[in-house]
Amino acid sequence: SRVQRRQDDTILTVLENKDDLQYLANITLGTPPQQFVVQLDTGSSDLWVPNDEDDSSTFEEGTDPFDIRYGDESEYRGVLVQDTIGIGDSLIEDATFGLVFEAVNVPRDTDGFSTNGVWGISFDYIQSSSVQATGDQYTGIVGLMKQEGLIERMAYSLHLDDPDAATGSILFGGVDSDKFTPPLIGLPIVPQSGSEQITHMNVEFTSLTANADGRTSVLEDNVVRSAILDSGTTITLLPPDLAAIFLDFMGAVNDPNIPQPLVACDLAGSDAEFVYQFGGPEGPSISVPVTDLVEPHIPGVQFRDGSDACLLGVQEAPIDFLLLGDTFLRSAYVVYDLESKVIAMAQARLNVTTSNVEEITGDQIPGVQTVVSSLDMPTPTRTASAILGPQQTVVQTQDPFFNGQLDENPGQASITNLPTGGANSGSGEDDSAASTQKAPSIAVAYMVCASVSFASMALGGLLFLR
C-alpha cells in the first residue's frame, strides 16, 4: 500500500485488495523504520503486529499485557509497547500498540494470511480485553493523528472499490466527492441491540429489496435492525429469518463441509441487485450487484446437472445479528465521524481515477445533505408464508470432492423467479445476552478472516464476546 499526505490536513492510505479477503496497509515502526503489513479493521480499536520488530532506538518496552480475541475465535497475546509509527511521510511518536508473542486458534496460513497485523480504527473505549481489565485506555492511532495536527477531526472515509480492483483506499480527515454518487446522507451511530452504549460502527437498517428482470421484490421492510459496518469481515452476515429469505431467493444451498452457501456460478452474469435501505425512507440506500456476491468457482464442485457451484458472499449469522462486511462495503462510500458519532453513506463510484478532496474541519461532514434521526423500534412483523413463490427442488447426492452430502441446486437461478408481491417478514432485535455475541467471520477458499474484535466481558457470571 501507499500513503500520501495531501495539501490539506488529510492522509490518504491506499489499501491492497488481498484476494477479496483483506484490505492491507503498509506502516512503519521504530527507528530506523521497519515495514509492517496490517489489515484495516473498522470493527476493532487496537493496532498490533507480530513480534518480529528489529532493534529500535525509540522503542519503549511495556509491562501491561495485550490480549485480543476476534469473532473467528482467534486470539492474540503479547504486551503493550510504544514506538514511533510511520504512515507515509508522517511520523507519530510514542504511539501505543500490541506486540504479539502468541497466537491461539489462528486460521491456517496461506501466503502470509494470518501473519499480518491488524490496524483497528474504531472507538478507543472498545480496546482489547486486557486494556479494559486494567482500565488503562490509551489514545489510538486516529486520535494521535489529530493530536499531532495531521488531521483536524477524528474521521475517515472508506472506499474499497470494485472487487476486481487491486486497491481500495481510506482517507483520514477528509471526503473525496469524486468517489461517490450523491446524495451523501448521515446516520447516527447507534448501540448494538440489547445495549445502551455505542460500541461499534452500527447504523439502523430498515429494508432490503431486490431488483431483477425489471421487477422489484421486497425481502424485508418496516423493520429497524442495528447493523454493524465492518471492513475486517470478508462477507455479509444476515439474521436467520432474513438469511432464510435471502438464500432462498438466490437459490443457495448449504453443505456441512463448506463454510459458505453455494449458488449457481451463472449468477455471476446477472444484472440483478439488492438494495439496502438505512434510516428509513429519508436515509441512504446502497445497491449491491448480485455479481459482486458470487465468488470464484471451486474447482471440482458442481451441481447434479453439471453446472458449476460458486461460493456466496452472504451467510446466515448464528444469532439475530446483522453485519455488513466487505461484500457490502465495496458498493458503498462510507464516512465515519468518531467525534460526532455519525456515519455518512452514498453509492460508491468504482474505478475512478480522479480525486476531489475536502477536509473535515467541523462537526459537519462536507457534502452531507442531511443527517436522519434515530428511529423507534417498530413492532416486529412476521409472516408464516413464503414470499418468494415455489421452492426449488433440492436433492442429495454423494459429492466426490468433499466426500459428504451436498444439497444440489438444479442449476436454475431463482433470482429470475421473482415473487409477485412482498411481505413484511423481518423482526425486531433479540433483546437477550446472546445479541451481544459477535458472529464468526467466514472467508472464502477455506480460510477464516479476522473479524471485528470484542473485549471479553463477564455478564451475569457468563463470558460473552462483545
Side-chain angles (χ1 to χ4, degrees):
S1 71
R2 303 177 302 278
V3 182
Q4 303 168 15
R5 180 73 184 277
R6 307 186 66 89
Q7 292 181 349
D8 296 326
D9 288 337
T10 63
I11 299 175
L12 177 65
T13 303
V14 178
L15 306 171
E16 177 192 356
N17 179 359
K18 180 67 172 177
D19 301 323
D20 290 342
L21 295 175
Q22 298 173 301
Y23 285 86
L24 306 176
N26 281 341
I27 62 172
T28 63
L29 295 173
T31 307
Q34 180 183 351
Q35 290 280 344
F36 284 86
V37 178
V38 289
Q39 179 186 6
L40 187 80
D41 185 13
T42 61
S44 64
S45 302
D46 297 273
L47 169 67
W48 65 263
V49 296
N51 180 35
D52 56 1
E53 185 178 13
D54 295 333
D55 290 340
S56 167
S57 62
T58 50
F59 178 81
E60 295 183 29
E61 189 170 357
T63 57
D64 290 338
F66 177 79
D67 189 340
I68 192 166
R69 187 177 181 184
Y70 293 95
D72 59 5
E73 298 189 358
S74 62
E75 187 172 1
Y76 300 86
R77 303 167 183 163
V79 65
L80 286 172
V81 299
Q82 289 186 328
D83 209 337
T84 298
I85 293 181
I87 304 173
D89 58 1
S90 300
L91 295 178
I92 302 174
E93 297 180 350
D94 301 324
T96 300
F97 58 94
L99 197 61
V100 168
F101 302 98
E102 180 184 9
V104 180
N105 296 327
V106 177
R108 74 175 65 179
D109 183 21
T110 301
D111 190 24
F113 183 86
S114 63
T115 58
N116 297 320
V118 173
W119 181 8
I121 54 174
S122 187
F123 299 106
D124 286 350
Y125 55 78
I126 66 163
Q127 286 164 354
S128 65
S129 57
S130 53
V131 174
Q132 294 196 22
T134 62
D136 295 331
Q137 179 179 307
Y138 61 89
T139 302
I141 304 303
V142 181
L144 291 175
M145 286 180 180
K146 180 178 178 179
Q147 286 186 15
E148 296 294 324
L150 301 176
I151 58 177
E152 290 292 324
R153 192 165 183 82
M154 293 174 58
Y156 46 83
S157 302
L158 185 66
H159 182 247
L160 296 185
D161 213 342
D162 188 274
D164 295 329
T167 61
S169 65
I170 183 167
L171 177 65
F172 293 96
V175 175
D176 187 345
S177 60
D178 280 3
K179 299 299 189 296
F180 64 86
T181 300
L184 181 64
I185 300 176
L187 297 160
I189 299 177
V190 298
Q192 188 81 357
S193 61
S195 173
E196 296 182 356
Q197 182 185 15
I198 293 174
T199 55
H200 290 89
M201 301 300 184
N202 290 73
V203 293
E204 291 174 330
F205 160 86
T206 52
S207 75
L208 178 62
T209 57
N211 299 323
D213 295 336
R215 291 189 291 170
T216 297
S217 176
V218 178
L219 277 67
E220 179 166 80
D221 199 3
N222 192 34
V223 297
V224 180
R225 296 185 188 266
S226 182
I228 184 170
L229 306 175
D230 176 25
S231 70
T233 299
T234 304
I235 66 171
T236 292
L237 296 169
L238 300 179
D241 56 344
L242 179 56
I245 299 171
F246 188 100
L247 297 178
D248 185 49
F249 195 76
M250 289 287 291
V253 294
N254 292 292
D255 181 90
N257 299 292
I258 308 174
Q260 288 174 234
L262 296 171
V263 294
C265 292
D266 289 346
L267 284 174
S270 170
D271 61 357
E273 63 181 8
F274 290 99
V275 181
Y276 292 76
Q277 183 73 39
F278 301 89
E282 304 301 319
S285 62
I286 304 297
S287 299
V288 179
V290 166
T291 184
D292 288 356
L293 302 177
V294 181
E295 295 169 351
H297 169 58
I298 305 174
V301 181
Q302 293 180 321
F303 292 117
R304 191 173 186 179
D305 67 348
S307 61
D308 290 338
C310 283
L311 295 171
L312 179 66
V314 178
Q315 184 179 359
E316 177 183 333
I319 57 175
D320 192 9
F321 183 85
L322 176 55
L323 184 149
L324 302 174
D326 295 341
T327 53
F328 167 84
L329 290 173
R330 280 189 278 265
S331 297
Y333 188 86
V334 188
V335 185
Y336 302 77
D337 187 336
L338 277 62
E339 296 188 50
S340 294
K341 292 185 171 60
V342 167
I343 286 176
M345 282 197 291
Q347 190 72 36
R349 294 182 63 204
L350 305 179
N351 301 307
V352 177
T353 58
T354 60
S355 182
N356 184 25
V357 172
E358 187 172 352
E359 184 183 359
I360 303 174
T361 57
D363 58 5
Q364 178 66 34
I365 298 172
V368 170
Q369 297 186 4
T370 185
V371 178
V372 300
S373 300
S374 182
L375 302 173
D376 294 328
M377 184 73 69
T379 302
T381 304
R382 299 180 184 271
T383 178
S385 60
I387 68 170
L388 299 178
Q391 298 284 326
Q392 292 195 57
T393 301
V394 176
V395 298
Q396 298 233 335
T397 183
Q398 279 296 124
D399 176 54
F401 187 72
F402 290 109
N403 298 317
Q405 296 293 325
L406 176 64
D407 289 340
E408 293 290 353
N409 180 321
Q412 300 296 319
S414 66
I415 199 165
T416 62
N417 302 322
L418 288 173
T420 57
N424 296 330
S425 58
S427 70
E429 300 281 15
D430 179 12
D431 188 15
S432 66
S435 66
T436 66
Q437 184 176 354
K438 182 66 165 63
S441 170
I442 307 298
V444 301
Y446 321 110
M447 292 185 285
V448 181
C449 176
S451 174
V452 280
S453 72
F454 334 68
S456 301
M457 60 182 301
L459 295 177
L462 300 175
L463 184 67
F464 297 90
L465 295 179
R466 175 170 62 79

